[in-house]
């Protein structure tokens, strides 16, 4: 299948179908917004690209770096740019969100941004479905562990980085920790009504299952359509590699339910 990828900026790249560029109405097809985890390689994300390109979806791949997480003002600047890009280039087009790990945090920060900039509220209304894989939730320590794992392989160095980050969070509490807590709160009370699918496991130190269960329960309290796939044992943001058949089957069932298919045109959840 012939596709073309063009860099939008340092952190974003758009993958489109050549045949759509030659005349098909891509505006009626869903745009998948793929929010990667920290340190996600192009090869790792390409596995997810294949799941969506076979359904003829265009993909906007976002690869956040540690600074977006460690200094929320950076995430703010990025999301301002993202909202402007979506508004100018993909207005009224159905959007499908697939976030991983810290990428889920980036989406929560985008919700905060829209709260402050209601002129972009229509972008949230364009969302037709949402998938969240390995949400980082459950306290500061799992956040610190996650960042440390993304920047170094040595366990001793990781421990030093993790402890340093906890000190950093303590010192920058008002700019970082309070913003993280606000992001989780808005996620629990999200204005986006489109169906949700969560992937997680019970042994992930960065995704506390009880905290995630509470988040899903909060969303269900709004009568939102919430489903999930949970494994007793897996690896953070690596569920597709660990359980490829189950992951694909669950995701494909979800996509079929929403109506995202090769020849299917869908509408956003207005």
């Amino acid at each position: 299948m012939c596709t073309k990828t063009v860099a939008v900026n340092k952190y974003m790249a758009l993958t489109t179908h050549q045949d759509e560029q030659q005349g098909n109405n891509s505006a009626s097809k869903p745009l998948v917004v793929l929010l990667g985890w920290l340190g996600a390689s192009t090869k790792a994300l390409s596995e997810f690209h294949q799941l969506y390109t076979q359904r003829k979806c265009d993909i906007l791949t976002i690869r956040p770096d540690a600074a977006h997480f460690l200094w929320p003002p950076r995430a703010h600047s990025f999301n301002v740019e993202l909202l402007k890009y979506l508004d100018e280039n993909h207005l009224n087009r159905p959007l499908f969100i697939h976030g991983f790990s810290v990428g889920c945090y980036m989406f929560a920060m985008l919700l905060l941004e829209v709260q402050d900039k209601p002129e972009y509220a229509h972008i949230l209304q364009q969302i037709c479905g949402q998938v969240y894989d390995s949400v980082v939730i459950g306290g500061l320590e799992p956040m610190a562990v996650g960042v440390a794992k993304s920047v170094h392989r040595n366990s001793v160095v990781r421990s030093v980085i993790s402890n340093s980050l906890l000190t950093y969070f303590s010192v920058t509490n008002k700019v970082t920790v309070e913003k993280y807590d606000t992001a989780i709160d808005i996620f629990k009370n999200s204005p986006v009504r489109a169906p949700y699918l969560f992937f997680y496991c019970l042994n992930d130190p960065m995704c506390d299952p009880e905290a995630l269960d509470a988040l899903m329960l909060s969303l269900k309290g709004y009568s939102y359509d919430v489903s999930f796939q949970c494994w007793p044992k897996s690896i953070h943001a690596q569920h597709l590699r660990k359980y490829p058949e189950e992951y694909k089957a669950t995701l494909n069932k979800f996509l079929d339910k929403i109506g995202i298919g090769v020849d299917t045109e869908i509408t956003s959840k207005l």
Side-chain angles (χ1 to χ4, degrees), residues 9 15 24 71 79 90 104 123 131 144 213 226 256-257 266:
N9 59 30
T15 300
N24 289 348
W71 190 245
N79 279 323
H90 303 284
C104 303
I123 290 176
V131 177
D213 285 345
V226 180
D256 289 341
K257 178 176 71 174
I266 63 175

Side-chain angles (χ1 to χ4, degrees), residues 115-165:
Q115 190 177 64
D116 293 336
K117 293 181 171 58
E119 65 269 26
Y120 288 119
H122 61 277
I123 290 176
L124 300 186
Q125 294 176 340
Q126 292 173 221
I127 296 174
C128 61
Q130 321 172 65
V131 177
Y132 299 106
D133 184 327
S134 303
V135 177
V136 177
I137 189 171
L140 292 178
E141 189 168 344
M143 292 181 181
V145 169
V147 174
K149 283 189 173 182
S150 72
V151 298
H152 212 285
R153 294 184 177 182
N154 184 280
S155 60
V156 175
V157 177
R158 284 178 177 176
S159 179
V160 172
I161 293 173
S162 180
N163 290 331
S164 298
L165 286 174

Side-chain angles (χ1 to χ4, degrees), residues 10 20 35 58 66-67 71 85-86 92 103 116 159-160 170 181 201 208 215 222 224 226 229 257:
K10 181 180 178 181
E20 291 186 345
L35 294 149
D58 292 344
W71 190 245
Y85 170 77
L86 291 173
N92 298 323
D116 293 336
S159 179
V160 172
S170 177
D181 291 341
C201 62
D208 179 73
L215 187 152
Y222 291 98
Y224 291 173
V226 180
Q229 172 70 60
K257 178 176 71 174

Side-chain angles (χ1 to χ4, degrees), residues 32 47-57 96 98 130-131 197 199 227 229 231 240 243-262 264:
V32 176
E47 297 179 33
F48 294 93
H49 275 220
Q50 292 174 13
L51 299 178
Y52 290 110
T53 54
Q54 66 186 10
R55 289 177 177 259
K56 292 189 177 180
C57 296
F96 185 88
H98 194 147
Q130 321 172 65
V131 177
L197 171 61
F199 288 105
S227 55
Q229 172 70 60
W231 293 276
L240 176 60
Y243 301 99
E245 297 308 317
E246 288 182 58
Y247 196 106
K248 291 176 184 177
T250 301
L251 179 60
N252 282 324
K253 182 179 179 181
F254 185 70
L255 295 173
D256 289 341
K257 178 176 71 174
I258 294 173
I260 297 180
V262 173
T264 304

Side-chain angles (χ1 to χ4, degrees), residues 70-128:
L70 293 175
W71 190 245
R74 284 287 299 275
H76 159 76
S77 299
F78 173 81
N79 279 323
V80 168
E81 189 173 353
L82 174 58
L83 288 169
K84 182 179 179 181
Y85 170 77
L86 291 173
D87 185 52
E88 293 178 351
N89 297 278
H90 303 284
L91 185 63
N92 298 323
R93 184 178 190 180
L95 304 175
F96 185 88
I97 309 299
H98 194 147
F100 306 85
S101 186
V102 171
C104 303
Y105 151 80
M106 290 294 289
F107 181 75
M109 293 296 288
L110 184 138
L111 293 178
L112 283 177
E113 200 63 47
V114 173
Q115 190 177 64
D116 293 336
K117 293 181 171 58
E119 65 269 26
Y120 288 119
H122 61 277
I123 290 176
L124 300 186
Q125 294 176 340
Q126 292 173 221
I127 296 174
C128 61

Side-chain angles (χ1 to χ4, degrees), residues 166-223:
L166 290 174
T167 300
Y168 167 78
F169 290 145
S170 177
V171 173
T172 62
N173 182 77
K174 285 191 174 295
V175 181
T176 56
V177 179
E178 290 187 7
K179 186 65 75 172
Y180 301 149
D181 291 341
T182 303
I184 290 296
D185 285 342
I186 196 171
F187 201 104
K188 286 182 178 179
N189 302 282
S190 175
V192 183
R193 301 187 60 86
Y196 292 77
L197 171 61
F198 290 88
F199 288 105
Y200 68 107
C201 62
L202 300 180
N203 69 319
D204 186 348
M206 290 172 274
C207 179
D208 179 73
E210 291 186 3
L212 185 57
D213 285 345
L215 187 152
M216 290 191 289
L217 186 62
S218 177
L219 294 172
K220 289 178 180 179
Y222 291 98
S223 298

